[in-house]
Amino acid sequence: MHDFSHSKILVVGDVMLDQYWTGRAGRISPEAPVPVVKVADEEVRAGGAANVALNIAALGAKAHLLGVVGEDEYARQLETLLSESGVSSDWAYSSSGTICKLRVLSHHQQLIRMDFENRVPAEPARVLADKVAQQVADYDVLVISDYAKGALQCVEPMIAAAKQAGVPVFIDPKGTDFSPYRGATLIKPNQGEFEAIVGACGQTEALVEKAEEALNELDLQALLVTRSEHGMALVTKTEKPYLLKSQAQEVFDVTGAGDTVMAALATGFASGMSLQNAVHLANQAASIVVRKVGTSTVSKAELDEAIKASMRHQGYVAMNEDELLELVGLAQNNGERVVITNGCFDLLHSGHVRYLNEAAKLGERLIVAVNSDESVQMLKGPSRPIVPLEGRMELLSALSCVDWVVPFNEQTPERLICKLKPDVLVKGGDYRPEEIAGSQCVWQNGGAVEVLSFWQGYSTTNIVERIHEAERQESLDE
C-alpha cells in the first residue's frame, strides 16, 4: 500500500453541513398520513467538498479546504468537524449563510430531507477563486467539488491558476454544461450526469466513444465515468480504456460515495500512483463507503484491508505495526477473535504449515510476527537466517491460514504483543504459558495463551544439516 502522508491536496467547492436525526417510527401521525419519528439521536457531518477533504485526511494525506460559508452556527460546527479530523480550512464569507441538509432516518431508512440553502452570491465566489490562485502552487493536486450551489461560479480562473502552477486538476462536475471545466486534467461525472451532456450511451463501446470525443472537445487528459453497479470507466488520451467492475456486495446508502471516490482518486494520484491504479483504489473505496449509512469516510486501514482481501490469492499481506494495530481494532470491533504467534520461520517447511493451520483454528484472524534478520542472527548465530526477512514474510503470507504478517526487531515479540492486544497468543513447544513472551499482557487484557505441540520430525536445523551432508557426500563422490 502507498504511503499517503506526504501528499498535499487542495480542495475547493460547495461545502455544507449534513445533519442526521435518527429515531423510531412507531406510528402514523393523526394530523397527516406521515410517520411520527421519536428522535433519539442527533449527529452532524461535513458534506459536499468538506466530505471530500475529510476522506482525504482519513487516508492519511494532508487536505486543505476552501469554501464559502456564513458567519453562523452551521459554519462553526463545520469548522469543528474539520479541525478534529486534521483538515485545515480557509473561508470566503457570504450573507447567504452556510448550506445545511437535514435528514430524518428510522431503521436505517431516510424518511425526509430538508435543505436550508441560498445560492452563493458572485462576490464570495470571486474571493474563493483568488484564494485558489494564491495557494494552489503549494499542493500536489487541486480537487474541485461542484454541487451547483454557486461557490464555483469562477471555476475557469481556478483551473488556469492550477495549470500555470503545474498542478493537476481533478473535478467532480455538476450540471448540463461541462465547458467551464475545459482544460482540467480529469473530470469525474457519474453516468447520469455524463449522459445528460452527450446523450444516452447504451453499450460500453458507445460510452467510451463519446468520452473520447469529450476529451478532445474539452481539452481534458482523462475522463472517469462512475457507473454504479457497473463499476467505472476511465478514458484517457494516451491509454486504452480502463473498465472496472463494481466491488460493492451490499449497498446501504450512496450518500457521499462520489466524494469518497474523488478523495481516493486524488490521494492515490498525488502519492505517485498511476491514474489506473488510483482509479482501482477509488473503486475499492466506493465499495466500502456504500455499506455505511450517511455521509461517511473510509480510513486507510479499511482500504488496505479491502484491497488485500481482493488480492488475497496473490498472498502478500505484510504490513507495518501501525497499520496492523488499526486492522486488529477493526477486526475485534466486528467480533472477530485475533490470534498471534511468532517465530523465525527460516526455510518454511510442512511442520510450520501444520502448526500455523492449528493456530488459525483458534480464531478468525491469524497474525504471524516474524523475527527480523538481525534478531535471527542473535538467536541462531551469524550464519542465519538463510532466507532474508522479505522472503520469509512473503512465503508466510502466501499461506491461506495467515491473515497478517508483521516483523519485529527484538529477541522476543513481547512489546509488539502488548501493543496489539490479541485475543489469543499461541506458541509451539514445551513452554509453560507463563514463560511465553507477552503472555502477561494478553492475560491482563482478558485474552488466552495456548501452547501447541510442534510436529515431530520437522526442523530447519535438520534440513540445513541434511543439505550440508549432501554437499559433503557430493564432494567425496567427486
Side-chain angles (χ1 to χ4, degrees), residues 27-46:
R27 61 191 179 94
I28 299 299
S29 170
E31 303 165 359
V34 295
V36 175
V37 178
K38 186 176 181 180
V39 176
D41 184 57
E42 298 181 30
E43 185 182 4
V44 292
R45 302 182 190 180

Side-chain angles (χ1 to χ4, degrees), residues 86-142:
V87 175
S88 60
S89 56
D90 186 5
W91 307 123
Y93 290 95
S94 170
S95 59
S96 62
T98 306
I99 296 170
C100 178
K101 297 182 178 182
L102 170 61
R103 297 171 175 89
V104 180
L105 299 94
S106 182
H107 303 291
H108 301 296
Q109 295 294 318
Q110 186 178 145
L111 301 182
I112 190 171
R113 191 183 93 180
M114 292 172 281
D115 292 359
F116 305 89
E117 65 176 72
N118 293 294
R119 183 168 175 79
V120 173
E123 181 55 30
R126 284 192 288 269
V127 172
L128 198 62
D130 290 340
K131 289 181 179 293
V132 171
Q134 293 163 9
Q135 301 178 34
V136 69
D138 296 328
Y139 294 88
D140 301 314
V141 173
L142 170 65

